[in-house]
């Protein structure tokens, strides 16, 4: 008995129309044709974060390129009914990538990197890191089946976002190793703000409590 063939999902930041032939960006084309070994006629799923997915097949293309002929649109929504805005302390490269990937897989709505007194990343590095963070989020959305990407906002100093969090209508929580599990709050709200620091920045005093 055969197993169901995995169909690659590819995020592209552009409009998609049925009947179009969409040329994929170089990095996406390389991964599809060189890493996954997809060839002409292979089934591909495209999505652009504006709702649903598009089914298509790899069309003939020059070496090193990948073109998808779009055949149909599937009106599917796999997003959580909860709106979760995550404020996350900046950390070193691998740890940051892992945190962004997991947050995307878990369905957060937006991600705001936080600059704290213990951040391992200099603000000067942020512009060059942003493109890598976006690529990580895209990859996580592709693999987890999400139909929309969490919005990656500009990094903000932790002290400056506290008042905005307090003034929001959402249930706000800050992660702390001595705190209770989120499930224990039994909140029925649909809007949440979660703040979490890197491993060095969990020593937060009472002035930092937002709940």
């Amino acid at each position: 008995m055969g197993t169901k063939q995995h169909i690659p999902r590819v995020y592209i930041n552009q409009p998609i129309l049925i009947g179009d032939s969409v040329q994929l960006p170089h990095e996406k084309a390389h991964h599809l044709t060189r890493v996954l070994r997809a060839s002409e006629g292979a089934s591909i799923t495209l999505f652009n974060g504006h709702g649903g997915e598009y089914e298509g097949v790899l069309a003939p293309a020059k070496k090193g390129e990948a073109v998808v002929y779009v055949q149909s649109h599937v009106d599917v929504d796999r997003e959580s009914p909860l709106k979760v805005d995550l404020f996350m302390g900046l950390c070193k490269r691998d740890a940051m990538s892992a945190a962004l990937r997991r947050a995307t897989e878990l369905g957060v709505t937006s991600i705001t990197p936080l600059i704290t007194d213990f951040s391992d990343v200099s603000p000067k590095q942020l512009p060059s890191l942003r493109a890598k963070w976006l690529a990580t989020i895209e990859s996580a959305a592709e693999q987890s089946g999400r139909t929309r990407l969490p919005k990656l906002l500009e990094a903000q100093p932790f002290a400056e976002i506290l008042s905005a969090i307090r003034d929001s209508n959402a249930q706000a929580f800050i992660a702390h190793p001595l705190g209770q599990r989120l499930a224990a709050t039994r909140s029925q709200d649909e809007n949440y703000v979660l703040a979490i620091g890197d491993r060095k920045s969990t020593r937060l005093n009472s002035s930092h409590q937002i709940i």
Side-chain angles (χ1 to χ4, degrees):
M1 182 176 179
T3 58
K4 185 177 180 180
Q5 184 180 8
H6 171 70
I7 299 177
R9 301 180 73 247
V10 181
Y11 169 80
I12 55 172
N13 185 23
Q14 67 181 66
I16 305 174
L17 296 174
I18 297 174
D20 278 0
S21 293
V22 179
Q23 183 165 345
L24 302 184
H26 174 74
E27 295 81 5
K28 306 272 187 179
H30 176 82
H31 181 75
L32 198 60
T33 60
R34 299 298 183 183
V35 179
L36 299 182
R37 301 290 184 181
S39 57
E40 183 180 332
S43 297
I44 307 294
T45 297
L46 300 179
F47 69 107
N48 59 6
H50 295 293
E53 297 174 332
Y54 294 82
E55 296 179 344
V57 295
L58 274 183
K62 297 179 182 178
K63 184 176 181 180
E65 296 181 353
V67 175
V68 178
Y69 175 69
V70 183
Q71 297 175 312
S72 62
H73 176 261
V74 180
D75 187 14
V76 61
D77 183 4
R78 303 188 188 93
E79 297 303 298
S80 169
L82 303 179
K83 180 179 182 295
V84 179
D85 297 312
L86 176 65
F87 293 81
M88 183 174 67
L90 288 168
C91 46
K92 291 183 178 179
R93 185 171 302 175
D94 291 345
M96 190 70 178
S97 294
L100 289 170
R101 178 172 294 278
R102 183 57 60 86
T104 301
E105 293 170 347
L106 291 175
V108 303
T109 308
S110 72
I111 302 171
T112 302
L114 293 180
I115 303 170
T116 72
D117 293 339
F118 304 96
S119 293
D120 291 316
V121 178
S122 166
K124 295 181 180 179
Q125 297 175 283
L126 295 177
S128 60
L129 290 173
R130 182 174 175 82
K132 296 178 181 179
W133 294 344
L134 286 170
T136 297
I137 290 172
E138 289 180 12
S139 175
E142 290 171 346
Q143 296 181 38
S144 64
R146 288 193 63 171
T147 51
R148 299 183 186 274
L149 271 61
K151 188 174 182 179
L152 179 63
L153 302 175
E154 297 295 331
Q156 299 288 334
F158 181 63
E160 293 184 8
I161 59 92
L162 281 177
S163 59
I165 293 176
R166 290 195 188 99
D167 294 340
S168 71
N169 294 323
Q171 282 284 322
F173 299 88
I174 191 165
H176 193 281
L178 300 180
Q180 63 178 328
R181 294 176 62 87
L182 185 59
T185 64
R186 299 183 182 277
S187 172
Q188 299 299 314
D189 286 17
E190 294 187 351
N191 296 333
Y192 292 87
V193 170
L194 305 180
I196 183 169
D198 56 75
R199 288 178 295 179
K200 297 179 182 178
S201 60
T202 53
R203 303 196 303 270
L204 301 176
N205 58 42
S206 59
S207 65
H208 289 144
Q209 296 304 306
I210 57 176
I211 59 174

